[in-house]
Amino acid sequence: MAFRQHKLGAAGVGLMLGFSMMITLFGPSNDFRSGVSTWVGLDKQLSLGRLIGFSYEDPTVSGEGKPITVILDKDPKTGAAIDPPVRAYVYKAGTKFSPGINHNELLGPGVEELSTGIGKIGSASMSSGAVFTVSKGEFNGEEVDYIENTTATRGWTPDAALRTAGDENTRYVGKGKTIYITEGCWWCHTLLPEQTQDWQAFGAPPFLGDFNGEMPTAFGSDRKAPDILHVAARNSSREWMTMHFFNPRLVQPNSIMPRFNYLWGRTDINGNPIDIKAWSKEYDEYLAGNRIYPPEVPEPARDSEVRALIDWVLTSLK
Amino acid sequence: MLMKYLFAKNDEIPAGSATIFFGFSSIFWFVVGTGLGSFNAAKLAFPDWVTGTELFAFGHMRQVHVLAVIVGWISMAFGMTMMYMTPALGNTRLWSEKLGLWTVFLWNVGLSLGLILLWMGITSGREYSDLIWPIDLVVIFGVLVPLGINVWMTIAHRKTQGIYITNWFFGACIFMVTITILVGQSPEIFNLTGLTEAYLTFWHAHNLLGLWITPVAAGIAYYTIPKLTGNPLYSHRIGHLHFWAIIAFYSTPASHHLMSAPLPEWLKSFASVEGVLILIPAVAFVANILLTMKGKWSLFVENLETKFSITGVLLAIPLNMQGGFQQTRAINWYVHGTGWIVAHAHLALLGMSSFLEAAAVYFGLQQMLRRKLYSLTLGNLHYWFFIIGFCIYWISMTIAGLIQGAGKIYEVPYIDVVVAEHPYMIARWVGGTMVFTGNVVWLYNMWMTAREGTLVPEGRYPHELAYER
């Protein structure tokens, strides 16, 4: 048995697989690296944090340890009015930073220089927390968006930013995207309008720099429902979203979307218990024609999962 | 009984034990997976059925169905075939029966744990890599590496001069799928982000199908058809063409899954061309197997295992014709993201692949138990429930996909597409439920075979004996 067929074969398989991996893995890595973060990309990574899905900081994937997005119409330090209001990303002490803060090269040429330079993101500290915004600057004669560490540049602290915003201007975007992942919304909805006719109905397809620092991207592959990358641009009503999540058939009789009434938790915003069985019974009576109106949909509690989910939809999917 | 053998000396474990445990595990997961599929389909047809709890929400169960079928049924059936075909083709014993039993034990434990976590929503949020990375490490180091060592060592210790084509596929595919999962999970372990993550997700998803499910299923057919018909394989050279073309062409077209994402255009074009070249191994495989049947076509009707096997090979024809061309830009823009793709995925996994593995599991379990199949009637019932249920599913989803594609390009309001698809969603549920019912019958039939099947005498094959029931 001088001729060992399996040795020759193993070498051949290794060579061919290595060659195909050179093309399909090493090849595109240069193209990906050259992607310059757009405003959408920076907004996404700052509002979502280090990563969504299973991680050390959030092992049960319930949205723990995510940054909080706030809309500020007043300077948290000086109290001076800000017009138009600015979107800020609050990282409380201990919240893990989004990938671009620690790995600046992910931001892409230009954005990296401005963020580390005038944006001072290098001085942000995870242990004491930070507040970031996306600002406009100029690099080599071209306008670029960059990350500004306002804790260093303007003295905004996480606590002050949250207090200034108040509940009505606070958006739990990071937690909301986590719910999108755990509830499997992406098994039916996509976040990727196609480059063909699709964009006329569902909006513009995303750009190369729209994803830097996002994990997971959750494009979705199997569309059993509309693309929702720009859904908030088509419908920005929080009331509609609330009813639609509780029971989609309340606002769209032909929808096949599941009821997400379990995302309300046990109590509504006023602390009253939510009885889903009783609600369903009253709804069935409404369907049977014994009631004129369907039962009221409870208003979600501040810390409920559906509140965060609606925050994410209305804030990020524009 | 499994527990007893896990700590026994290797020589004291009867040959074929690993095969038998693998075989019954795979059928069990097939029942679970198709049951979940039927439940999910019901939820798409009747969304108000079972509500108010996340445990039975579609979004919590969809990925459990997919992974129960891929990792539980298909991959465990692969493990089962490797446990008996590899030694048989090397004219030797399995390198370690004990390692095989540990593999099937860890596989069941790891998969159960992973699926329960997925069901609870503990996921990485990446399609086909949904399992969280600690579970993926179990898959690699608890399942694939031990399986690989067993297969590679059995091949290395063979008592034949050459290596038969089936073992080429087995040995190479275990290695390639391990690499695929390692690379595919790297975004989770090293927190790679953005388009890199999106691309690697589908690089993993594509190669899981292309370097594991399709080629191993084909490798199985290279064993079962010559064995059942008694004909030698039509051509080993065509078999080699098939093998090397799989390695060269099937490992590259990953990005054709993301034709509308902002990936580099050169990569998409390259993937598209390579995707068409997949037809080379596909045609080589189908031609080789069908020509092997020469003079023995009556067995397609008379012999249950051949019936399953050849049905799988015949389903490979539409599968590859769709697969080769639907990913080109000319067609992809129309069908991408529609039910057409769902139909195609089920044609690959439930059609071509599952029929080939079912044949091998039927044959291997009878061979290793040394017992003839309990009931031919139940076997045929399984076959017809399977093929009719599958066809209902496949045809209804293909039609639904074409409706959806038309709705997409003519900009029909989406809700009208949902309304138009409703009848096909009901048909899909009916088809899936038929497949599930057939599998329950199969599990019963196999269980009764183990207990009451006619004993097969030494030196004979089960398919040479007459059925007693």
Side-chain angles (χ1 to χ4, degrees):
Chain A
M1 297 251 285
F3 173 63
R4 302 299 289 179
Q5 197 182 6
H6 62 265
K7 288 193 177 165
L8 195 69
V13 169
L15 202 70
M16 287 179 88
L17 191 66
F19 186 63
S20 89
M21 284 174 77
M22 275 287 285
I23 299 174
T24 60
L25 292 178
F26 184 71
S29 66
N30 283 318
D31 297 83
F32 293 149
R33 212 173 297 143
S34 64
V36 180
S37 288
T38 56
W39 182 88
V40 174
L42 294 176
D43 172 64
K44 264 197 213 164
Q45 71 157 293
L46 286 172
S47 58
L48 300 178
R50 189 172 82 93
L51 79 152
I52 304 289
F54 177 80
S55 62
Y56 295 118
E57 59 266 29
D58 188 15
T60 57
V61 200
S62 49
E64 299 294 319
K66 299 281 179 282
I68 298 167
T69 305
V70 292
I71 316 291
L72 294 174
D73 53 8
K74 274 188 303 189
D75 189 305
K77 194 178 181 205
T78 62
I82 303 177
D83 189 39
V86 64
R87 199 180 276 197
Y89 312 92
V90 180
Y91 285 70
K92 289 196 261 190
T95 302
K96 295 270 196 300
F97 283 162
S98 68
I101 308 286
N102 297 328
H103 304 280
N104 308 134
E105 70 282 2
L106 289 178
L107 300 172
V111 185
E112 181 185 355
E113 283 80 355
L114 289 185
S115 302
T116 51
I118 52 175
K120 294 190 179 169
I121 59 171
S123 63
S125 136
M126 212 117 71
S127 54
S128 53
V131 179
F132 299 102
T133 55
V134 177
S135 306
K136 287 219 180 298
E138 211 184 89
F139 185 76
N140 289 348
E142 276 186 45
E143 191 179 73
V144 275
D145 297 290
Y146 68 95
I147 303 176
E148 183 179 342
N149 172 17
T150 58
T151 310
T153 57
R154 300 188 223 179
W156 294 0
T157 62
D159 286 343
L162 287 175
R163 214 178 317 116
T164 311
D167 185 61
E168 70 274 18
N169 283 326
T170 300
R171 310 272 187 271
Y172 298 100
V173 173
K175 184 178 174 185
K177 172 100 189 250
T178 313
I179 307 300
Y180 181 76
I181 296 298
T182 56
E183 296 312 315
C185 311
W186 54 294
W187 293 124
C188 300
H189 293 282
T190 50
L191 294 176
L192 190 67
E194 292 173 19
Q195 289 164 348
T196 51
Q197 265 83 344
D198 226 16
W199 63 272
Q200 294 183 24
F202 297 136
F207 292 102
L208 178 62
D210 284 0
F211 306 99
N212 293 23
E214 189 188 12
M215 159 79 190
T217 41
F219 287 155
S221 63
D222 171 12
R223 198 186 274 174
K224 296 186 268 296
D227 188 280
I228 55 166
L229 187 66
H230 304 295
V231 69
R234 303 195 287 273
N235 181 350
S236 61
S237 161
R238 191 170 277 266
E239 287 69 32
W240 191 93
M241 291 288 166
T242 310
M243 290 173 79
H244 189 253
F245 276 121
F246 199 82
N247 183 344
R249 261 76 58 203
L250 286 172
V251 287
Q252 177 47 271
N254 290 317
S255 169
I256 58 164
M257 182 166 133
R259 300 182 193 182
F260 287 96
N261 46 18
Y262 56 85
L263 294 178
W264 262 249
R266 285 162 194 238
T267 53
D268 69 2
I269 193 164
N270 300 316
N272 301 321
I274 298 172
D275 188 345
I276 288 177
K277 277 206 180 108
W279 192 96
S280 299
K281 215 174 147 203
E282 288 177 31
Y283 175 72
D284 288 344
E285 281 175 22
Y286 160 72
L287 286 184
N290 299 331
R291 284 172 64 111
I292 298 173
Y293 299 110
E296 284 288 317
V297 170
E299 202 175 329
R302 287 197 175 84
D303 60 349
S304 63
E305 291 174 322
V306 73
R307 153 77 192 267
L309 184 55
I310 295 174
D311 278 355
W312 174 69
V313 170
L314 293 181
T315 312
S316 293
L317 303 183
K318 279 193 172 166
Chain B
M1 197 151 92
L2 178 62
M3 289 299 158
K4 190 179 85 186
Y5 286 142
L6 283 179
F7 298 102
K9 282 203 181 94
N10 190 34
D11 294 340
E12 289 165 8
I13 304 172
S17 301
T19 310
I20 292 165
F21 280 106
F22 259 118
F24 277 101
S25 301
S26 70
I27 304 175
F28 168 77
W29 284 111
F30 201 13
V31 171
V32 171
T34 48
L36 285 167
S38 154
F39 186 85
N40 290 349
K43 299 215 72 161
L44 288 174
F46 314 107
D48 280 330
W49 185 55
V50 193
T51 58
T53 164
E54 61 189 37
L55 278 185
F56 300 108
F58 179 83
H60 279 255
M61 299 184 74
R62 193 261 196 201
Q63 61 274 47
V64 183
H65 156 66
V66 170
L67 288 175
V69 172
I70 293 180
V71 188
W73 152 242
I74 292 178
S75 299
M76 275 202 177
F78 286 171
M80 182 266 191
T81 55
M82 288 168 185
M83 292 294 118
Y84 81 89
M85 287 181 188
T86 310
L89 290 168
N91 198 14
T92 179
R93 275 191 63 153
L94 186 64
W95 184 66
S96 169
E97 204 72 47
K98 189 174 173 179
L99 186 63
L101 287 169
W102 271 100
T103 313
V104 66
F105 174 71
L106 285 175
W107 200 327
N108 278 309
V109 170
L111 181 62
S112 307
L113 191 66
L115 291 186
I116 288 169
L117 290 175
L118 266 194
W119 196 357
M120 290 161 60
I122 299 177
T123 171
S124 63
R126 304 173 60 229
E127 192 167 2
Y128 292 108
S129 339
D130 315 73
L131 293 172
I132 59 175
W133 62 263
I135 298 286
D136 287 309
L137 294 181
V138 175
V139 171
I140 291 168
F141 296 105
V143 172
L144 289 174
V145 170
L147 184 72
I149 289 174
N150 226 347
V151 169
W152 298 323
M153 291 308 279
T154 307
I155 293 175
H157 285 108
R158 69 189 184 280
K159 296 196 178 73
T160 52
Q161 171 78 35
I163 303 175
Y164 184 64
I165 188 78
T166 301
N167 275 348
W168 278 80
F169 274 111
F170 286 176
C173 288
I174 298 176
F175 171 72
M176 293 192 293
V177 78
T178 309
I179 299 288
T180 296
I181 295 180
L182 273 173
V183 175
Q185 297 310 319
S186 60
E188 290 167 43
I189 298 173
F190 302 112
N191 200 20
L192 308 180
T193 58
L195 279 177
T196 313
E197 182 274 325
Y199 176 56
L200 282 181
T201 300
F202 280 93
W203 189 89
H204 167 268
H206 176 86
N207 286 355
L208 197 62
L209 290 156
L211 300 181
W212 178 242
I213 294 174
T214 326
V216 179
I220 288 172
Y222 279 118
Y223 178 85
T224 41
I225 290 298
K227 199 76 179 171
L228 291 164
T229 57
N231 282 351
L233 183 64
Y234 175 73
S235 163
H236 278 84
R237 277 172 194 246
I238 296 179
H240 277 242
L241 173 69
H242 176 199
F243 178 81
W244 290 106
I246 286 271
I247 314 278
F249 300 136
Y250 225 145
S251 59
T252 46
S255 61
H256 69 212
H257 294 255
L258 290 169
M259 289 300 260
S260 54
L263 291 179
E265 290 298 318
W266 71 263
L267 186 65
K268 290 189 216 169
S269 299
F270 172 74
S272 198
V273 174
E274 294 279 302
V276 178
L277 290 175
I278 288 177
L279 285 169
I280 294 173
V283 173
F285 165 65
V286 173
N288 211 355
I289 297 291
L290 294 186
L291 287 167
T292 305
M293 286 294 286
K294 208 159 96 179
K296 296 287 174 64
W297 276 98
S298 59
L299 289 176
F300 181 38
V301 181
E302 291 161 5
N303 179 274
L304 184 65
E305 293 82 13
T306 313
K307 200 187 289 184
F308 268 101
S309 218
I310 289 297
T311 306
V313 177
L314 292 176
L315 288 174
I317 299 171
L319 170 71
N320 292 305
M321 289 299 154
Q322 283 187 354
F325 294 112
Q326 74 186 18
Q327 46 85 34
T328 58
R329 288 173 201 260
I331 300 176
N332 192 260
W333 68 286
Y334 195 91
V335 297
H336 181 79
T338 68
W340 172 284
I341 305 296
V342 182
H344 174 76
H346 281 80
L347 176 58
L349 298 181
L350 183 63
M352 179 253 185
S353 173
S354 284
F355 275 95
L356 293 176
E357 288 127 41
V361 173
Y362 264 112
F363 177 73
L365 274 179
Q366 293 178 63
Q367 177 83 337
M368 287 300 159
L369 291 163
R370 304 304 300 158
R371 280 179 186 276
K372 178 80 179 168
L373 188 66
Y374 174 70
S375 165
L376 175 65
T377 312
L378 293 181
N380 276 324
L381 201 67
H382 175 215
Y383 175 83
W384 288 109
F385 264 75
F386 197 167
I387 186 69
I388 294 172
F390 164 74
C391 286
I392 292 174
Y393 186 101
W394 178 42
I395 292 166
S396 65
M397 282 317 290
T398 301
I399 296 173
L402 291 173
I403 292 173
Q404 213 179 332
K408 181 166 81 171
I409 63 158
Y410 294 117
E411 294 176 55
V412 175
Y414 201 89
I415 193 65
D416 295 337
V417 176
V418 173
V419 174
E421 280 185 320
H422 182 63
Y424 303 100
M425 292 293 157
I426 297 176
R428 150 195 236 186
W429 169 62
V430 171
T433 308
M434 282 185 76
V435 174
F436 168 63
T437 313
N439 288 337
V440 175
V441 171
W442 186 23
L443 186 59
Y444 171 77
N445 200 11
M446 266 311 166
W447 184 252
M448 291 308 284
T449 304
R451 294 170 68 91
E452 292 180 18
T454 315
L455 286 172
V456 177
E458 196 66 36
R460 304 304 299 269
Y461 284 114
H463 58 271
E464 295 169 347
L465 270 60
Y467 287 95
E468 292 188 352
R469 284 175 200 85

